[in-house]
């Protein structure tokens, strides 16, 4: 029946209607068909092939009339959303450095860092070079996608910054990367909060000098000022003794008395003027009327010549003095003016007021102060024309360079921000062009040209894109060949693009992205083979799943299409894959499931535009809401309870989104939303929800709880604990006790502290809350009991949690059974979790611990299938192979995972395997790559030292 319906709809050539820009009006009086009839007509949006339309005859007039009322509203929707064409889901080119061999690149980066540190210790390398090495390390780590590693590399670059310019750039960059952690959505650009990292301090950034070994805490903003220092102002200059006056500067009708020797001491040009062979050397009165300085400013110069201070003078006067100092090369006077003016720049308005003066006079510190404000107000500051002219234009770069403030680091940061905001904007292009102008040969040029190529490709400027990519390839970035091929393909040279990828694959070790890219330039079985190979080599690439799903949808296999796209959504949630599945659900008539995915999308990205950017998600929700059963808040709570218990995180997220549309100011719902987002590994979105919970709090004790969670999640455990205790003093609540217990448990617990945590969790459960949270408290309590070897008490807690349907407690209870040597009971308990949980890759992995080797292998294979990002299954299988003396197979198993997920544990294990095989060069390489990810990993350091020593012995 469905196929006949789709055939008749396809015959109406709705694709042609999608090409127009006209959006037809909907006649409300005509929408009297049933919900199923109305939205079933969404199904033809999956008619992707033109031949599927032309193959069928047109419907009769009666048929056309029958469809008329249904398609009036559909025309409006379809003309807006278009079609899910394979051409519109092509993967984007990653706008960062992507090495062919990740492990080799990480090892090389570690060696560069080690060499730079050694050279610094012997004082043979400027410290600025070490900053550049850390910045290169940061650029390499971006392809791994771990924000913690990125921040650590940026922090290291900031620590080793020698000059003020790099300090302000990297401090602002660190703050930008941490922007979701802030309690306030738009904090003051030049103020540090009590928990802001000291490396981000704006005052510290404006301090010259290089001292990486000096502790950075507390930062200058948090230092308690000395009361006596504020009362004793800078020493005032001594009064001018009339007997010492031997020089007057005439400016207009005024004369400024001076001491010739003091003025001459300001600079060599003034000394030459007053004591050299010029006529002024013999005059007591010198006319300065035409030297562009006022009498007030000249008095300031005279006062400075005696006391070395300008504290008593306003900014406009100091600006005049600055110009005078520049004109007569008075370095000390200029530095004082520079510092004084920099100290009064507090906001964007101040910075805009001073920046032109600062650039004209090349006032290094003042330019730094203004630039710092612009950088700490990103991305909003780029929207101001006055600022964008300075930061983006070639003339602006030249002016910044004259003042010592144009660098690759600056434009790298600005380009990253601009690309996040709008990949295709002119601002992005200009910043990348400036970045290229500042780039040194090597990795900097590779990155600048590759990113500019990506932007040009997005803008449809294929000739320029190809040129940029080719330049990146010439600099040594092999991944940019993908960009060259894509540009050629867009220009109609498909076979040439295919040959380029063939060559790349033949010359290097195959990677998943190579086969994914080559699949774009072939058809039929060859294309599907490449996509299968891409998934086998790199199962976390989303495009192969998307393409296969769309192809299945073309063939009217919509159920199979949903299953295919759901594979990747099981371990990697993204808006584009959720959107595609929502599309399929619409075609199937599964409107509630479609709404679920749309709501999940809007939780991840509230501004998301559905269907290739043609319709906002909220509009589609409004269009579909009338076709599903409405829920009141009581229904929503029941649905949330069911989905939470089923470990259906996406479903739970959608229910919470619906509840927030009814109660947008409900902070507890925002908090639950953040917990779900953390489970889905969406850290930035989670922090945003947690901050929204804090901002929507209706009471002080509630606000303190959410502030405590923000502090705890950002590494400030003691501060978070203090917030929980303060909240409890105001009002006893479940969340306050739970937070305090959670923070206390995040240490190596002894018997006393464990008892305290259990007591806090019991107090939490004595307060009003719902079963969703009480179940979590019982589950946590059980974990503490297990750690204290109190297994009966732990089992009791887990059983209580299960009684209120906290499904995850099955895992804790299984652990208790296993520790009691009841292995079969543990296995059965995990089987219950697998049956009840929708997301059960971790359950399969955990169950493998409670069965024999063959069954464990089967469970771990299933875990890898459901979630290839889990590393334990690879390590287990490799260890089994190693035990069976199948060394090469064990190495292959680990290498398979390392090809798409450079992981510390995987690298360490493979290094140990190589070490046992006597391959010390490979051992050292893997250790170096692991230490690049975690420099302080003690086991790897020990193995690395041992392998290095053995390698040296072999050489001898």
């Amino acid at each position: 029946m469905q196929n006949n319906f789709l055939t008749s709809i396809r015959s109406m050539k709705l694709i042609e209607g999608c090409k127009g820009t006209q959006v037809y009006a909907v006649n409300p009086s005509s929408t009297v068909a049933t919900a199923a009839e109305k939205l079933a007509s969404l199904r033809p949006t999956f008619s992707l092939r033109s031949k599927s339309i032309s193959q069928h005859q047109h419907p009769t007039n009666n048929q056309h009339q029958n469809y008329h009322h249904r398609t009036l509203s559909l025309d409006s929707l379809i003309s807006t959303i278009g079609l899910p064409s394979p051409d519109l889901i092509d993967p984007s080119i990653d706008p960062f450095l992507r090495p062919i061999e990740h492990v080799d690149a990480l090892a090389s980066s570690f060696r560069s860092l080690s060499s730079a540190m050694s050279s610094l210790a012997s004082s043979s390398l400027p410290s600025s070079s070490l900053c550049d090495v850390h910045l290169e390390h940061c650029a390499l780590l971006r392809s791994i996608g771990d924000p913690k590693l990125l921040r650590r590399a940026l922090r290291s670059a900031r620590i080793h910054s020698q000059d003020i310019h790099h300090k302000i750039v990297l401090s602002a960059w660190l703050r930008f990367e941490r922007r979701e952690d802030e309690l306030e959505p738009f904090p003051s650009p030049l103020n540090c909060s009590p928990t802001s990292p000291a490396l981000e301090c704006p005052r510290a950034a404006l301090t010259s000098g290089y001292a990486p070994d000096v502790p950075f805490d507390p930062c200058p903003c948090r230092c308690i000022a000395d009361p006596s220092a504020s009362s004793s102002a800078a020493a005032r200059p001594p009064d001018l003794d009339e007997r010492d006056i031997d020089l007057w500067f005439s400016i207009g009708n005024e004369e400024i008395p001076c001491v010739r020797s003091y003025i001459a001491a300001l600079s060599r040009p003034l000394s030459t003027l007053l004591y050299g062979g010029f006529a002024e050397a013999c005059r007591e009165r010198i006319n300065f009327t035409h030297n562009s300085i006022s009498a007030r400013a000249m008095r300031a110069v005279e006062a400075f010549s005696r006391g070395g201070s300008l504290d008593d003078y306003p900014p406009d006067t100091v600006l005049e003095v600055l110009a005078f100092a520049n004109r007569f090369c008075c370095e000390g006077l200029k530095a004082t003016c520079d510092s004084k003016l920099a100290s009064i720049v507090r906001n964007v308005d101040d910075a805009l007021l001073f920046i032109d003066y600062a650039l004209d006079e090349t006032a290094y510190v003042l330019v730094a102060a203004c630039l710092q404000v612009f950088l700490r107000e990103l991305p909003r500051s780029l929207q101001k024309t006055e600022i964008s002219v300075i930061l983006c234009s070639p003339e602006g770069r030249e002016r910044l360079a004259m003042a010592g403030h144009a660098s690759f680091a600056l434009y790298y940061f600005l380009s990253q921000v601009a690309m996040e905001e709008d990949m295709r904007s002119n601002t992005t292009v200009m910043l990348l062009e400036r970045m290229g102008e500042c780039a040194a040969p090597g990795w900097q040029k590779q990155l600048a040209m590759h990113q500019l190529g990506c932007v040009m490709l997005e803008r449809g400027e294929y000739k320029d894109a190809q040129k940029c990519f080719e330049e990146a390839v010439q600099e040594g970035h092999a991944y940019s060949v993908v960009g060259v091929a894509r540009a050629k393909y867009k220009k109609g040279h498909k076979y040439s693009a295919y040959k380029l990828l063939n060559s790349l694959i033949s010359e290097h070790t195959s990677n998943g992205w190579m086969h994914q890219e080559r699949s774009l330039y072939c058809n039929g079985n060859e294309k599907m083979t490449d996509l299968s190979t891409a998934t086998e080599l790199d199962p976390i690439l989303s495009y192969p799943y998307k393409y296969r799903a769309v192809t299945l949808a073309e063939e009217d296999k919509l159920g199979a299409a949903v299953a295919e796209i759901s594979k990747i959504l099981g371990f990697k949630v993204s808006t584009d894959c959720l959107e595609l599945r929502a599309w399929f659900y619409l075609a199937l008539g599964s409107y509630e499931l479609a709404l679920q995915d749309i709501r999940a999308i809007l939780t991840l990205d509230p501004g998301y535009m559905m269907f290739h950017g043609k319709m906002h998600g909220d509009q589609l929700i409004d269009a579909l809401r009338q076709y599903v059963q409405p829920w009141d808040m009581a229904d929503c709570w029941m649905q949330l309870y069911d989905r939470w218990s089923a470990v259906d995180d996406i479903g739970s997220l959608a229910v919470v989104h619906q509840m927030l549309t009814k109660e947008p100011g409900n902070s507890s719902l925002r908090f639950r939303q953040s917990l779900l987002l953390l489970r889905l590994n969406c850290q930035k979105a989670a922090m945003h929800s947690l901050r929204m919970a804090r901002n929507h709090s209706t009471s002080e004790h509630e606000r303190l709880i959410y502030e405590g969670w923000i502090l705890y999640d950002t590494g400030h455990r003691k501060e978070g604990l203090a917030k929980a205790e303060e909240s409890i003093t105001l009002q006893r609540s479940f969340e306050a006790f739970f937070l305090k217990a959670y923070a206390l448990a995040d240490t190596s617990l002894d018997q006393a502290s464990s008892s305290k945590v259990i007591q806090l969790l019991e107090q939490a459960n004595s307060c009003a809350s719902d079963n969703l949270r009480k179940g979590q408290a019982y589950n946590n309590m059980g974990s503490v009991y297990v750690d204290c070897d109190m297994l009966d008490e732990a089992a009791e807690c887990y059983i209580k949690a299960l009684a209120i349907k906290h499904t995850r407690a099955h895992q804790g209870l299984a652990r208790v059974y296993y520790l009691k040597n009841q292995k079969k009971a543990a296995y059965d308990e995990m089987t219950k979790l697998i049956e009840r949980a929708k997301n059960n890759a971790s359950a399969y992995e955990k169950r493998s611990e409670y069965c024999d080797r063959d069954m464990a292998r089967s469970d771990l294979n299933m875990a890898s299938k459901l979630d290839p990002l889990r590393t334990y299954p690879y390590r287990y299988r490799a260890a089994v192979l190693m035990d069976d003396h199948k060394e090469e197979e064990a190495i292959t198993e680990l290498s398979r995972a390392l090809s798409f997920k450079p992981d510390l544990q995987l690298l360490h294990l493979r290094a140990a395997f190589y070490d046992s095989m006597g391959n010390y060069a490979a051992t050292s390489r893997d250790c170096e790559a692991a230490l690049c990810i975690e420099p302080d990993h003690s086991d790897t350091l020990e193995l690395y030292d041992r392998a290095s020593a053995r390698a040296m012995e072999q050489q001898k």
Side-chain angles (χ1 to χ4, degrees), residues 775-804:
Q776 183 67 59
Y778 280 123
N779 192 70
N780 288 16
M781 204 183 305
S783 298
V784 178
Y785 276 127
V786 168
D787 292 340
C788 296
D789 202 27
M790 302 170 67
L791 301 183
D792 291 335
E793 291 84 351
E796 184 180 348
C797 288
Y798 289 129
I799 290 170
K800 285 181 180 179
L802 288 170
I804 52 179

Side-chain angles (χ1 to χ4, degrees), residues 18-263:
C18 296
K19 295 178 180 177
T21 57
Q22 175 68 34
V23 178
Y24 299 97
V26 179
N27 182 0
S29 63
S30 67
T31 56
V32 294
T34 65
E37 289 174 329
K38 289 177 181 176
L39 275 174
S41 54
L42 277 172
R43 296 174 185 172
T45 61
F46 291 89
S47 174
L48 300 177
R49 298 174 181 167
S50 57
K51 65 179 183 181
S52 66
I53 300 175
S54 59
Q55 283 174 346
H56 304 289
Q57 295 181 353
H58 291 281
T60 63
N61 290 336
N62 288 338
Q63 287 175 312
H64 193 278
Q65 290 172 1
N66 290 338
Y67 285 112
H68 179 68
H69 292 301
R70 293 200 296 269
T71 57
L72 275 176
S73 58
L74 180 63
D75 283 341
S76 175
L77 189 57
I78 287 183
S79 62
T80 303
I81 68 176
L83 298 172
S85 167
D87 297 335
L88 296 176
I89 61 169
D90 284 352
S92 59
I93 297 174
D94 294 330
F96 43 70
L97 296 180
R98 179 184 277 281
I100 299 293
E101 292 287 352
H102 260 111
V103 174
D104 289 343
L106 290 170
S108 176
S109 180
F110 174 80
R111 289 193 297 272
S112 296
L113 285 169
S114 300
S115 175
M117 293 295 290
S118 300
S119 299
L120 179 62
S122 61
S123 302
S124 63
L125 181 78
S127 55
S128 58
S129 297
L130 188 55
C131 174
D132 291 340
V133 172
H134 282 292
L135 202 57
E136 179 182 2
H137 183 52
C138 175
L140 174 64
L141 291 174
R142 193 168 288 277
S143 62
I144 296 178
D146 188 336
K148 291 182 180 178
L149 295 182
L150 278 176
R151 291 182 189 182
R152 192 184 67 204
L154 280 174
R155 283 196 296 269
S156 297
R158 166 64 184 88
I159 288 171
H160 293 286
S161 300
Q162 181 180 10
D163 55 80
I164 288 176
H165 171 74
H166 281 85
K167 288 180 181 179
I168 64 164
V169 170
L170 293 166
S171 296
W173 199 340
L174 282 167
R175 186 174 186 261
F176 181 81
E177 291 290 340
R178 199 183 53 81
R179 60 194 181 280
E180 292 295 349
D181 301 350
E182 295 283 0
L183 295 180
E184 299 295 339
F186 300 109
S188 173
L190 296 182
N191 287 340
C192 286
S193 70
T195 56
S196 295
L199 286 176
E200 297 177 20
C201 176
R203 290 179 61 186
L206 287 173
T207 304
S208 60
Y210 173 67
D213 299 325
V214 176
F216 281 83
D217 280 320
C219 73
C221 291
R222 292 198 289 270
C223 291
I224 301 175
D226 183 1
S228 61
S230 58
S231 59
S232 61
R236 296 178 61 86
D239 293 333
L240 186 61
D241 192 333
E242 292 186 1
R243 292 172 297 177
D244 295 331
I245 299 172
D246 57 357
L247 177 68
W248 287 263
F249 286 100
S250 301
I251 300 176
N253 297 323
E254 297 186 55
E255 289 190 340
I256 296 89
C258 301
V259 177
R260 184 182 292 267
S261 61
Y262 291 169
I263 298 297

Side-chain angles (χ1 to χ4, degrees), residues 12 27 170 305 431 464 482 575 642 779 805:
M12 298 173 65
N27 182 0
L170 293 166
S305 72
L431 287 171
D464 290 336
V482 169
T575 52
D642 289 343
N779 192 70
K805 294 187 177 182

Side-chain angles (χ1 to χ4, degrees), residues 653-683:
L653 206 61
V655 176
V656 171
H657 181 273
Q658 184 169 353
M659 296 168 81
L660 283 168
T661 60
K662 301 175 185 295
E663 297 182 6
N666 190 321
S667 58
S668 66
L669 288 175
R670 294 283 182 188
F671 177 60
R672 293 175 193 277
Q673 189 180 65
S674 72
L675 296 176
L676 288 164
L677 289 165
L678 282 175
R679 285 184 189 172
L680 293 169
N681 200 30
C682 303
Q683 280 89 354

